[in-house]
């Protein structure tokens, strides 16, 4: 008797690990930490313009914005990044007010080279200032229409590898070029990603962390199908948005036996969302796992002064406390409150300090976690067919304007 099957089944951790290893040759993001950055750094040194306008959407901007937002509060950058992502006309005009067009480098980023939002904004910007090799650089696939346009006009181009999907592209030229121009140490960034990569594939610390977390999520996905990231730093708001795209677009799929998978991502910022969403977590339906992300070293010693307000003696216990200590204790108190409830799965990630190395570790960890969960539930983690249908409908409607 012979027997074969194609239906969904939760595999062993070792089997899943082998599946992920088998992807390395086909899925390009795995090798990005080991790339040569010489060309990018040489180009970045030549950029003298103070304003860098990034025109792109989704995976072309979210990862870069996440790193920029995380680092800019503790770094002294002499250039500024501006993100043109939406076709909202009021947003475009507001962002243009912050630019000196003559002192702006435009980075046009689109993997396909035909992203409607990106090309529409590019067309509009081209009506305001002449785009040339002096003020415009293209980041796209090497055979896209956008790259062909750049070559025709002798503009600098950087390739996005065909086997690197947009939401996994932050450590490719998509993120490295604008970040290097800004002054970010991109080698230290890749060093952080590399540490997580090596630890995972050598089945050391990050292998255990990622595999255990992925297995719990998959084995309990019907009960806990909502995954909350609760970040205790305003500088991680960009990371939260990046995580939501990575998690939602990668894992909202139909698996091998036709079952719709749904691990829904939510991004919260502490302590702000303690005053809103925390109530739902604490006393609402038990359908959520929570990951707290804390920063151990904010590199800021700003203190809450004493004796500056009359009539608040009952709050003198915060006097002379640093804000960094206060937000850490707010996180700890929230974590303890959930722990005492006893029925809300949660874990804690602590970022050692605010730098390139540590944000890269966090982001690469989440990329690997996404790939592992995708293998467990037996889906194609790297496509997005649910998004494509809407694009086709929009294109047809716009073509039929008459």
């Amino acid at each position: 008797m012979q027997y074969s099957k194609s239906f969904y089944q939760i595999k062993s951790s070792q089997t899943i690990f082998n599946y992920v290893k088998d992807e390395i040759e086909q899925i390009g993001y795995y090798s990005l930490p080991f790339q040569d950055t010489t060309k990018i750094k040489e180009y970045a040194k030549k950029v003298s313009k103070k304003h860098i306008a990034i025109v792109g959407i989704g995976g072309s901007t979210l990862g870069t914005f996440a790193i920029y937002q995380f680092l800019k509060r503790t770094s002294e950058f002499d250039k500024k990044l501006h993100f043109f992502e939406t076709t909202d006309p009021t947003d475009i005009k507001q962002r243009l007010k912050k630019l000196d067009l003559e002192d702006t480098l435009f980075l046009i980023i689109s993997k396909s080279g035909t992203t409607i939002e990106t090309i529409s904004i590019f067309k509009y910007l081209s009506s305001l200032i002449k785009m040339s090799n002096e003020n415009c650089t293209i980041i796209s696939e090497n055979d896209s229409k956008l790259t062909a346009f750049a070559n025709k006009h002798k503009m600098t181009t950087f390739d996005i590898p065909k086997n690197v999907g947009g939401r996994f592209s932050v450590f490719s030229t998509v993120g490295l070029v604008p970040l290097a121009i800004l002054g970010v140490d991109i080698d230290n960034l890749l060093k952080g990603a590399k540490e997580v990569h090596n630890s995972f594939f050598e089945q050391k610390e990050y292998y255990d962390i990622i595999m255990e977390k992925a297995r719990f999520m998959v084995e309990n996905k019907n009960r806990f199908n909502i995954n909350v990231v609760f970040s205790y730093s305003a500088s991680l708001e960009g990371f939260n948005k990046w995580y939501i795209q990575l998690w939602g677009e990668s894992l909202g799929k139909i698996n091998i036996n036709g079952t719709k998978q749904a691990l829904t991502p939510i991004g919260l910022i502490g302590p702000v969302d303690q005053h809103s969403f925390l109530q739902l977590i604490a006393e609402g339906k038990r359908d959520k796992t929570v990951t707290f992300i804390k920063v151990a070293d904010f590199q800021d010693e700003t203190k809450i002064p004493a004796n500056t307000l009359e009539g608040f003696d009952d709050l003198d216990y915060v006097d002379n406390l640093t804000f960094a200590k206060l937000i850490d204790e707010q996180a700890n108190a929230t974590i303890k409150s959930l722990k005492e409830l006893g029925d809300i799965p949660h874990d804690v990630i602590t970022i050692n300090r605010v730098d390139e190395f540590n944000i890269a570790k966090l982001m690469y960890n989440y990329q690997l976690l996404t790939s592992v969960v995708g293998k467990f539930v037996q889906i194609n983690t790297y496509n997005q067919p649910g998004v494509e249908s809407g694009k086709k409908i929009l294109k047809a409607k716009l073509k039929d304007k008459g």
Side-chain angles (χ1 to χ4, degrees):
M1 183 177 71
Q2 294 183 338
Y3 175 69
S4 63
K5 59 180 172 60
S6 62
F7 53 80
Y8 169 78
Q9 179 184 33
I10 297 179
K11 305 287 187 178
S12 71
S13 295
Q14 186 59 50
T15 299
I16 295 300
F17 179 65
N18 291 337
Y19 286 165
V20 173
K21 284 199 301 182
D22 289 343
E23 284 188 340
I24 291 177
E25 296 301 320
Q26 291 80 39
I27 305 301
Y29 91 86
Y30 291 114
S31 62
L32 292 177
F34 303 92
Q35 67 191 285
D36 183 357
T37 60
T38 302
K39 179 185 175 184
I40 294 173
K41 289 183 294 187
E42 288 177 349
Y43 167 77
K45 288 178 183 178
K46 299 175 184 177
V47 176
S48 59
K49 296 185 183 297
K50 298 300 182 183
H51 297 278
I52 312 301
I54 300 176
V55 183
I57 195 170
S60 295
T61 56
L62 286 173
T64 305
F65 178 72
I67 295 170
Y68 175 52
Q69 188 186 48
F70 184 70
L71 297 176
K72 71 177 182 178
R73 302 178 190 217
T74 58
S75 303
E76 295 293 332
F77 297 127
D78 61 359
K79 296 181 176 64
K80 185 173 182 180
L81 300 187
H82 306 262
F83 294 84
F84 288 80
E85 302 169 288
T86 176
T87 50
D88 178 342
T90 58
D91 184 83
I92 293 170
K93 289 181 179 179
Q94 284 298 314
R95 292 179 186 277
L96 281 170
K97 289 178 181 179
K98 299 176 182 179
L99 295 182
D100 174 354
L101 291 178
E102 298 299 330
D103 195 20
T104 299
L105 172 69
F106 297 91
L107 293 180
I108 315 302
I109 306 176
S110 168
K111 181 175 167 62
S112 68
T114 56
T115 309
I116 190 168
E117 297 88 352
T118 304
I119 301 304
S120 297
I121 297 170
F122 187 26
K123 283 186 171 185
Y124 179 66
L125 294 172
S126 297
S127 72
L128 303 180
I129 187 169
K130 180 176 174 57
M131 296 290 177
S132 69
N133 58 4
E134 296 294 322
N135 68 350
C136 186
T137 290
I138 302 298
I139 303 174
S140 185
E141 289 186 344
N142 60 14
D143 57 355
S144 73
K145 286 185 177 181
L146 198 52
T147 298
F149 173 87
N151 291 336
K152 180 179 179 180
H153 295 277
K154 297 181 171 56
M155 295 175 176
T156 300
T157 63
F158 289 92
D159 293 342
I160 303 174
K162 287 186 178 293
N163 62 357
V164 175
R167 58 189 177 274
F168 288 87
S169 67
V170 62
F171 299 117
S172 73
T173 55
V174 168
L176 296 187
V177 172
L179 291 170
I181 294 170
L182 183 66
V184 171
D185 184 346
I186 60 173
D187 288 331
N188 197 31
L189 191 74
L190 293 183
K191 184 180 178 183
K194 192 183 301 181
E195 180 171 299
V196 176
H197 176 284
N198 290 343
S199 176
F200 177 80
F201 284 105
E202 292 169 10
Q203 293 186 269
K204 295 181 179 178
E205 179 186 7
Y206 276 94
Y207 170 85
D208 294 330
I209 292 170
I210 291 169
M211 199 61 70
E212 181 181 6
K213 184 169 182 172
R215 176 169 285 280
F216 178 87
M217 287 180 162
V218 172
E219 290 179 346
N220 295 277
K221 64 186 174 66
N222 292 322
R223 180 180 178 190
F224 302 109
N225 67 311
I226 298 173
N227 304 279
V228 178
V229 165
F230 213 142
S231 299
Y232 271 77
S233 171
S235 65
L236 286 167
E237 187 171 6
F239 167 81
N240 283 6
K241 291 180 179 180
W242 173 84
Y243 146 76
I244 287 170
Q245 188 210 14
L246 177 71
W247 201 249
E249 201 168 51
S250 296
L251 301 178
K253 303 284 174 62
I254 300 173
N255 76 355
I256 194 171
N257 67 338
T259 303
K260 296 181 184 297
Q261 303 298 304
L263 289 164
T264 302
I266 292 175
L268 305 178
I269 293 293
V272 176
D273 289 317
Q274 286 180 197
H275 298 268
S276 57
F277 206 91
L278 181 57
Q279 173 64 36
L280 179 59
I281 295 173
E283 295 193 347
K285 185 177 179 181
R286 293 304 190 249
D287 55 0
K288 306 167 195 69
T289 62
V290 183
T291 295
F292 292 94
I293 303 179
K294 304 200 308 172
V295 177
D297 183 5
F298 280 91
Q299 298 162 249
D300 190 304
E301 294 300 317
T302 305
K303 289 186 177 182
I304 303 163
N307 304 318
T308 57
L309 295 175
E310 295 179 3
F312 290 91
D313 293 344
D314 57 335
L315 290 174
D316 61 0
Y317 53 82
V318 300
D319 289 355
N320 299 312
L321 196 69
T322 65
F323 280 100
K325 180 65 174 175
L326 176 58
I327 195 171
D328 187 57
E329 290 301 338
Q330 288 174 304
N332 292 339
T334 303
I335 293 165
K336 185 178 180 182
S337 71
L338 295 197
K339 185 176 182 180
E340 289 177 350
L341 289 171
D343 59 355
I344 300 175
H346 63 277
D347 60 336
V348 182
I349 297 172
T350 301
I351 300 173
N352 291 334
R353 60 183 286 115
V354 180
D355 63 11
E356 298 93 340
F357 180 78
N358 281 285
I359 189 63
K361 285 177 66 176
L362 177 66
M363 295 176 79
Y364 200 79
N365 170 74
Y366 262 90
Q367 288 182 331
L368 286 175
L369 177 64
T370 302
S371 292
V372 171
V373 171
K375 284 300 179 188
F376 266 122
V377 296
Q378 297 182 52
I379 59 171
N380 182 340
T381 308
Y382 309 103
N383 66 358
Q384 50 277 334
V387 178
E388 298 306 320
S389 60
K391 291 180 180 179
K392 292 175 182 176
I393 292 169
L394 175 62
K395 186 175 181 180
K397 287 176 70 70
L398 294 177
K399 279 189 170 183
D400 191 30
K401 287 182 291 187

